[in-house]
Amino acid sequence: MNDATARAVERMLAADPVWTETGTAGERIGLDRHTLLHAGPPFADPAEICPPILNAAAAALLFEGMAGGVEDARTLVRSGAVTLRPAQDFGVVTPLAAVVSRSMWLHVVEDAGSSGARAYSPLNEGGGPALRFGIVSGAVVERLRLLHGAVGPALAGIGPVALTGIAGEAMEQGDELHGRVGVASALLTETLVSRLGGTGEVCAFLKEAGQFFLNPWMAACKAVMLAADGVPGSALVTAAGGNGVRFGLRLSGMMGEGWASAPVAAPQGPDIGSPGGAPRPRLPAIGDSAVIDALGFGALALDAAPLLRAEMGAAAETAIAAADRLLCADHPVHGRRVGLDARAVLLGGPVPPVCLAALHAAGEDGIVGRGLAWHPPSCHAEAVALVDARSRAGFPDVPDHRV
């Protein structure tokens, strides 16, 4: 890595993400009622919005009381009366096709170290009908009302929750912290249920929400990345995600501006519940959970999750082998390499992987599989070129001392 990337990595290694509070998107990030936040880079035009995100946007508008029906809600989005913007432009990370609207409650995760960086993520909806699956129905809207009418307010005063220790213990027991978060979620749920008194509707929901850790962990990874953001000349990845059409990146040296993006393929791996065994068409990679893998967990940590590693087959071995060549430094707590260097990809390194669920391309059947997606290499080339152009325009060039 060059000197600028090394400086960014030092900031990353010093970060300590803690879930500090919970509040609505309107309160915490000033989101207005005519804006929805989605995963990945921006859409070039409302006509480009993929069906699952359009469905999620419709469900969110019904939840907000801004539309009388699904088609009315879709029209608000297609016409531009309601604007969709990248969640990570606001420090928010959202899973799969889920969108964030003004009344939705967010986890607030802060770096307890020196940076004070803060990131946000929506609450995990648990299994069953869920916004993140990119479907729209009365059941999805009712789940949103339960989540944001009861669960969010109950968690508002839950107190700080240190996430690094939970993550470390879960990895020792077979989670890689993206595709598998069962152990981490059980540990987090135990803490939350204890603080909430152990009974009642909210505790019952948390006990059934088997992936509840995933969303605050996404925000934790984003907070760590933000702690390393804004170092001129640095090629450290500080934003990553797919919008179901394109995959996008932002590097520390892009100074929080713009995206480098390119068309992306769908995750490849096992199908889930295909009728008659026929695979259903998969949406290209989607979700801001790609920040987990870009930090060094998920697909780059499949060696810690033997069951998921076996399920993913040969592709998992390719992903594991990529870690040492792509990641920058050993984490002082996790004892694993972290920090994705975009220049490493350009210098002959492997293509970075992401462990993702696969959504139905038409937005009708929710999750249809899971597997690994791969960053488009052109994203890294474009992002590094943007960093270098910015350096030439106003920052000193930094020599590459890669060994």
Side-chain angles (χ1 to χ4, degrees), residues 22 31 44 54 59 80 91 101-103 160 190 231-232 271 273 323 347 391 401:
T22 312
L31 192 65
L54 187 60
S101 63
R102 178 178 174 82
S103 299
E190 182 180 357
V231 177
D271 291 317
L347 294 173
S391 293
H401 299 303

Side-chain angles (χ1 to χ4, degrees), residues 246-274:
R246 300 174 71 85
F247 190 88
L249 295 175
R250 183 178 290 149
L251 308 183
S252 174
M254 290 168 67
M255 314 305 284
E257 297 181 1
W259 287 81
S261 70
V264 64
Q268 297 300 306
D271 291 317
I272 296 175
S274 297

Side-chain angles (χ1 to χ4, degrees):
M1 75 186 91
N2 66 18
D3 291 346
T5 301
R7 288 195 296 274
V9 170
E10 286 178 5
R11 295 185 186 180
M12 175 176 283
L13 297 180
D16 178 19
V18 176
W19 172 16
T20 56
E21 57 181 342
T22 312
T24 67
E27 295 167 345
R28 293 296 180 265
I29 62 172
L31 192 65
D32 68 70
R33 64 193 304 265
H34 294 288
T35 302
L36 302 175
L37 306 182
H38 65 85
F43 292 106
D45 185 272
E48 187 186 52
I49 299 168
C50 64
I53 286 184
L54 187 60
N55 286 345
L61 292 174
L62 291 172
F63 161 70
E64 294 284 355
M66 292 180 61
V70 173
E71 284 308 315
D72 180 27
R74 288 174 175 153
T75 299
L76 289 173
V77 175
R78 291 193 186 105
S79 68
V82 170
T83 303
L84 267 65
R85 297 183 61 184
Q88 291 188 62
D89 287 357
F90 292 76
V92 179
V93 278
T94 190
L96 294 176
V99 299
V100 173
S101 63
R102 178 178 174 82
S103 299
M104 292 182 182
W105 287 72
L106 303 175
H107 301 283
V108 182
V109 177
E110 299 183 33
D111 172 21
S114 59
S115 78
R118 182 178 292 180
Y120 312 84
S121 64
L123 309 181
N124 189 281
E125 306 147 280
L131 195 69
R132 69 186 186 278
F133 300 155
I135 53 179
V136 56
S137 68
V140 170
V141 176
E142 284 305 310
R143 177 63 61 91
L144 291 175
R145 289 173 179 152
L146 165 65
L147 194 68
H148 302 293
V151 179
L155 296 176
I158 204 69
V161 179
L163 298 170
T164 300
I166 292 175
E169 186 173 349
M171 290 193 79
E172 291 176 359
Q173 299 184 51
D175 284 357
E176 39 66 77
L177 304 180
H178 191 176
R180 283 182 63 92
V181 293
V183 175
S185 293
L187 293 170
L188 176 61
T189 296
E190 182 180 357
T191 297
L192 299 180
V193 167
S194 174
R195 294 185 186 183
L196 290 170
T199 60
E201 179 184 38
V202 173
C203 288
F205 172 84
L206 292 171
K207 290 174 183 178
E208 295 296 323
Q211 292 188 317
F212 201 78
F213 178 81
L214 180 61
N215 291 32
W217 181 243
M218 288 171 57
C221 293
K222 182 62 182 178
V224 170
M225 289 177 164
L226 289 174
D229 212 9
V231 177
S234 171
L236 185 69
V237 174
T238 55
N243 65 15
V245 179
R246 300 174 71 85
F247 190 88
L249 295 175
R250 183 178 290 149
L251 308 183
S252 174
M254 290 168 67
M255 314 305 284
E257 297 181 1
W259 287 81
S261 70
V264 64
Q268 297 300 306
D271 291 317
I272 296 175
S274 297
R280 289 165 289 181
R282 296 181 171 202
L283 187 76
I286 187 169
D288 285 331
S289 58
V291 298
I292 296 172
D293 309 71
L295 186 57
F297 302 98
L300 291 171
L302 280 168
D303 59 293
L307 293 179
L308 186 57
R309 177 179 184 173
E311 183 181 338
M312 295 299 172
E317 305 311 310
T318 301
I320 292 168
D324 282 342
R325 297 182 61 188
L326 294 175
L327 300 176
C328 294
D330 293 332
H331 193 276
V333 177
H334 291 289
R336 302 187 59 89
R337 295 189 71 76
V338 295
L340 178 57
D341 183 358
R343 291 190 192 276
V345 179
L346 303 190
L347 294 173
V351 178
V354 185
C355 193
L356 284 174
L359 297 184
H360 188 225
E364 297 170 355
D365 295 342
I367 290 183
V368 297
R370 64 193 302 179
L372 295 179
W374 305 85
H375 291 204
S378 62
C379 278
H380 292 261
E382 180 186 353
V384 169
L386 289 169
V387 169
D388 290 345
R390 178 176 281 275
S391 293
R392 287 192 296 270
F395 303 116
D397 288 334
V398 183
D400 195 325
H401 299 303
R402 179 180 299 279
V403 175

